[in-house]
Coordinates of all heavy atoms in Angstrom, one line a residue:
A155 N 9.0 30.9 35.3 CA 8.4 29.7 35.9 C 7.1 29.4 35.2 O 6.8 28.2 34.9 CB 8.3 29.8 37.4
Q156 N 6.3 30.4 35.0 CA 5.0 30.2 34.4 C 5.1 29.8 33.0 O 4.4 28.9 32.5 CB 4.2 31.5 34.4 CG 3.7 31.9 35.8 CD 2.8 33.1 35.8 OE1 2.0 33.3 34.9 NE2 2.9 33.9 36.8
K157 N 6.1 30.3 32.3 CA 6.4 29.8 30.9 C 6.8 28.4 30.9 O 6.4 27.6 30.0 CB 7.5 30.7 30.3 CG 7.1 32.1 30.0 CD 8.2 32.9 29.3 CE 7.8 34.3 29.0 NZ 8.9 35.1 28.3
F158 N 7.7 28.0 31.8 CA 8.1 26.6 31.9 C 6.9 25.6 32.1 O 6.8 24.6 31.5 CB 9.1 26.4 33.0 CG 9.6 25.0 33.2 CD1 10.7 24.5 32.4 CD2 9.1 24.2 34.1 CE1 11.1 23.2 32.5 CE2 9.5 22.8 34.3 CZ 10.6 22.4 33.5
V159 N 6.1 26.0 33.1 CA 4.9 25.2 33.4 C 4.0 25.1 32.2 O 3.3 24.0 32.0 CB 4.2 25.7 34.6 CG1 2.8 25.1 34.8 CG2 5.0 25.6 35.9
N160 N 3.9 26.1 31.4 CA 3.1 26.1 30.2 C 3.7 25.4 29.0 O 3.1 25.4 27.9 CB 2.7 27.5 29.8 CG 1.7 28.1 30.8 OD1 0.9 27.4 31.5 ND2 1.8 29.5 31.0
G161 N 4.9 24.9 29.2 CA 5.6 24.1 28.2 C 6.3 25.0 27.1 O 6.7 24.5 26.1
L162 N 6.6 26.2 27.5 CA 7.3 27.1 26.5 C 8.8 27.0 26.7 O 9.3 26.9 27.8 CB 6.8 28.6 26.7 CG 5.3 28.8 26.6 CD1 5.0 30.3 26.9 CD2 4.9 28.5 25.1
K163 N 9.5 27.1 25.6 CA 11.0 27.1 25.6 C 11.4 28.6 25.9 O 10.7 29.5 25.6 CB 11.5 26.7 24.3 CG 11.2 25.2 23.9 CD 11.8 24.8 22.6 CE 11.5 23.4 22.3 NZ 12.1 23.0 20.9
M164 N 12.7 28.6 26.4 CA 13.2 30.0 26.8 C 14.7 29.9 26.7 O 15.3 28.9 27.0 CB 12.7 30.4 28.1 CG 13.2 29.5 29.3 SD 12.3 29.8 30.8 CE 10.8 28.8 30.4
D165 N 15.3 31.1 26.3 CA 16.8 31.2 26.3 C 17.3 31.2 27.7 O 16.8 32.0 28.6 CB 17.2 32.4 25.5 CG 16.8 32.4 24.1 OD1 16.7 31.2 23.5 OD2 16.6 33.4 23.5
L166 N 18.4 30.5 28.0 CA 19.0 30.5 29.3 C 20.4 30.0 29.2 O 20.7 29.0 28.7 CB 18.2 29.5 30.2 CG 18.4 29.7 31.7 CD1 17.8 31.0 32.2 CD2 17.7 28.5 32.5
E167 N 21.3 30.9 29.7 CA 22.7 30.6 29.6 C 23.1 29.6 30.7 O 23.2 30.0 31.9 CB 23.5 31.9 29.7 CG 23.4 32.8 28.5 CD 24.4 33.9 28.5 OE1 25.3 33.9 29.4 OE2 24.2 34.8 27.7
K168 N 23.3 28.4 30.4 CA 23.6 27.3 31.4 C 24.2 26.2 30.6 O 23.9 26.0 29.4 CB 22.3 26.9 32.1 CG 22.5 26.1 33.4 CD 22.7 27.0 34.6 CE 22.7 26.2 35.9 NZ 23.1 27.1 37.0
S169 N 25.0 25.4 31.3 CA 25.6 24.2 30.7 C 24.6 23.3 30.2 O 23.5 23.1 30.9 CB 26.6 23.6 31.7 OG 27.6 24.4 32.1
P170 N 24.8 22.6 29.1 CA 23.8 21.6 28.6 C 23.6 20.5 29.6 O 24.6 20.1 30.3 CB 24.5 21.1 27.3 CG 25.5 22.1 26.9 CD 26.0 22.7 28.2
G171 N 22.4 19.9 29.7 CA 22.1 18.9 30.6 C 20.7 18.9 31.1 O 19.9 19.8 30.7
Q172 N 20.4 18.0 32.0 CA 19.1 18.0 32.6 C 19.1 18.5 34.0 O 20.0 18.3 34.8 CB 18.5 16.6 32.5 CG 17.0 16.5 32.9 CD 16.5 15.0 32.7 OE1 17.0 14.1 33.4 NE2 15.6 14.9 31.8
Y173 N 18.1 19.3 34.4 CA 18.0 19.9 35.7 C 16.6 19.8 36.3 O 15.6 19.6 35.6 CB 18.3 21.4 35.5 CG 19.6 21.8 35.0 CD1 19.9 21.8 33.6 CD2 20.7 22.2 35.8 CE1 21.1 22.1 33.1 CE2 21.9 22.6 35.3 CZ 22.1 22.5 34.0 OH 23.4 22.9 33.5
W174 N 16.6 19.9 37.6 CA 15.3 20.2 38.3 C 15.1 21.7 38.1 O 16.0 22.5 38.3 CB 15.4 19.8 39.8 CG 15.3 18.4 40.0 CD1 16.2 17.5 40.6 CD2 14.1 17.5 39.8 NE1 15.7 16.3 40.7 CE2 14.5 16.2 40.2 CE3 12.9 17.8 39.2 CZ2 13.6 15.1 40.0 CZ3 12.0 16.7 39.0 CH2 12.3 15.4 39.5
V175 N 13.8 22.0 37.8 CA 13.5 23.4 37.7 C 12.5 23.8 38.8 O 11.6 23.1 39.1 CB 12.8 23.7 36.3 CG1 12.4 25.1 36.2 CG2 13.7 23.3 35.2
K176 N 12.8 24.9 39.5 CA 12.0 25.4 40.6 C 11.9 26.9 40.6 O 12.6 27.6 39.9 CB 12.6 24.9 41.9 CG 13.9 25.5 42.3 CD 14.5 24.8 43.5 CE 13.8 25.2 44.8 NZ 14.1 26.6 45.2
T177 N 11.0 27.4 41.4 CA 10.8 28.8 41.6 C 10.5 29.0 43.1 O 9.6 28.3 43.6 CB 9.8 29.5 40.8 OG1 9.7 30.9 41.0 CG2 8.4 28.9 41.0
D178 N 11.3 29.8 43.8 CA 11.2 29.9 45.2 C 11.3 28.5 45.8 O 12.3 27.9 45.6 CB 9.9 30.6 45.6 CG 9.8 32.1 45.1 OD1 10.9 32.7 45.1 OD2 8.7 32.6 44.8
N179 N 10.3 28.1 46.6 CA 10.3 26.8 47.2 C 9.5 25.7 46.4 O 9.3 24.6 46.9 CB 9.8 26.9 48.6 CG 10.7 27.7 49.5 OD1 11.9 27.6 49.4 ND2 10.1 28.5 50.4
F180 N 9.1 26.0 45.2 CA 8.2 25.1 44.5 C 9.0 24.5 43.3 O 9.5 25.2 42.4 CB 7.0 25.9 43.9 CG 6.2 26.6 45.0 CD1 6.2 27.9 45.2 CD2 5.4 25.8 45.9 CE1 5.5 28.6 46.2 CE2 4.7 26.4 46.9 CZ 4.7 27.8 47.0
Y181 N 9.0 23.2 43.3 CA 9.6 22.4 42.2 C 8.6 22.3 41.1 O 7.4 22.0 41.4 CB 10.1 21.0 42.7 CG 11.4 21.1 43.4 CD1 11.5 21.5 44.7 CD2 12.6 20.7 42.7 CE1 12.7 21.5 45.4 CE2 13.8 20.8 43.4 CZ 13.9 21.2 44.7 OH 15.1 21.2 45.3
L182 N 9.0 22.4 39.9 CA 8.1 22.5 38.7 C 8.2 21.2 37.8 O 7.3 20.9 37.1 CB 8.3 23.7 37.9 CG 8.4 25.0 38.7 CD1 8.8 26.2 37.7 CD2 7.1 25.3 39.4
G183 N 9.4 20.6 37.8 CA 9.6 19.4 37.0 C 11.0 19.3 36.5 O 11.9 20.1 36.9
L184 N 11.2 18.5 35.5 CA 12.5 18.3 34.9 C 12.6 19.0 33.6 O 11.7 19.0 32.8 CB 12.8 16.8 34.6 CG 13.3 15.9 35.7 CD1 13.4 14.5 35.2 CD2 14.7 16.4 36.3
G185 N 13.7 19.7 33.4 CA 14.0 20.4 32.1 C 15.3 20.2 31.6 O 16.2 19.8 32.3
S186 N 15.5 20.4 30.3 CA 16.9 20.2 29.7 C 17.3 21.4 28.9 O 16.4 22.1 28.4 CB 16.8 19.0 28.7 OG 16.7 17.8 29.3
I187 N 18.6 21.7 29.0 CA 19.2 22.8 28.2 C 20.0 22.3 27.1 O 20.9 21.4 27.3 CB 20.0 23.7 29.2 CG1 19.1 24.4 30.1 CG2 20.8 24.7 28.3 CD1 19.8 25.4 31.0
E188 N 19.7 22.7 25.9 CA 20.5 22.4 24.7 C 20.7 23.7 23.9 O 19.7 24.4 23.7 CB 19.7 21.3 23.8 CG 19.6 20.0 24.5 CD 18.8 19.0 23.6 OE1 18.6 19.4 22.4 OE2 18.5 17.9 24.1
S189 N 21.9 24.0 23.6 CA 22.3 25.2 22.8 C 21.7 26.4 23.4 O 21.1 27.3 22.7 CB 21.8 25.0 21.3 OG 22.3 23.9 20.7
G190 N 21.7 26.5 24.8 CA 21.3 27.7 25.4 C 19.8 27.9 25.5 O 19.3 29.0 25.8
V191 N 19.0 26.8 25.3 CA 17.6 26.9 25.3 C 17.1 25.8 26.4 O 17.4 24.7 26.3 CB 16.9 26.6 24.0 CG1 15.4 26.5 24.1 CG2 17.4 27.6 23.0
L192 N 16.2 26.3 27.3 CA 15.6 25.4 28.3 C 14.2 25.0 27.8 O 13.4 25.8 27.4 CB 15.4 26.2 29.6 CG 14.6 25.5 30.7 CD1 15.3 24.2 31.2 CD2 14.4 26.4 31.9
K193 N 14.0 23.7 27.8 CA 12.7 23.1 27.5 C 12.3 22.2 28.6 O 13.1 21.6 29.3 CB 12.7 22.4 26.1 CG 13.5 21.1 26.1 CD 13.5 20.4 24.8 CE 14.2 19.1 24.8 NZ 13.6 18.1 25.7
S194 N 11.0 22.0 28.7 CA 10.4 21.1 29.7 C 10.5 19.7 29.3 O 10.1 19.3 28.1 CB 9.0 21.5 30.0 OG 8.4 20.6 30.9
D195 N 11.0 18.8 30.1 CA 11.0 17.3 29.8 C 9.8 16.7 30.4 O 9.0 16.0 29.7 CB 12.3 16.6 30.3 CG 13.5 17.0 29.6 OD1 13.4 17.4 28.4 OD2 14.6 17.0 30.2
I196 N 9.6 16.8 31.7 CA 8.4 16.4 32.4 C 8.0 17.4 33.4 O 8.8 17.6 34.4 CB 8.7 15.0 33.1 CG1 9.2 13.9 32.1 CG2 7.4 14.5 33.7 CD1 9.4 12.6 32.7
G197 N 6.9 18.0 33.3 CA 6.4 19.0 34.3 C 5.5 18.3 35.2 O 4.9 17.3 34.9
F198 N 5.4 18.8 36.5 CA 4.5 18.2 37.4 C 3.1 18.6 37.1 O 2.8 19.7 36.6 CB 4.9 18.8 38.8 CG 6.2 18.3 39.4 CD1 6.8 19.0 40.4 CD2 6.8 17.2 38.8 CE1 8.1 18.6 40.9 CE2 8.1 16.7 39.3 CZ 8.7 17.5 40.3
S199 N 2.2 17.7 37.3 CA 0.8 18.0 37.0 C 0.1 18.7 38.1 O 0.6 18.8 39.2 CB 0.1 16.6 36.7 OG 0.2 15.8 37.8

């Protein structure tokens, strides 16, 4: 979650598409998965 908030990409086995990204009860923003890599589209400020 800290990596996502800092804008870092990470490997993640998940179907391609756009997702809400959260940790525990905290939503962090929108991210997309392409070719097994999660990147941040729009993170919450």
Side-chain angles (χ1 to χ4, degrees):
Q156 290 188 36
K157 290 182 179 180
F158 180 84
V159 170
N160 291 330
L162 300 177
K163 296 180 179 180
M164 63 197 79
D165 294 333
L166 199 66
E167 291 188 10
K168 196 83 173 175
S169 299
Q172 190 175 62
Y173 298 81
W174 282 118
V175 179
K176 65 187 288 288
T177 183
D178 295 327
N179 294 320
F180 303 107
Y181 280 79
L182 312 175
L184 277 178
S186 290
I187 290 184
E188 296 179 10
S189 303
V191 176
L192 171 66
K193 67 178 183 68
S194 174
D195 291 336
I196 305 180
F198 294 160
S199 57

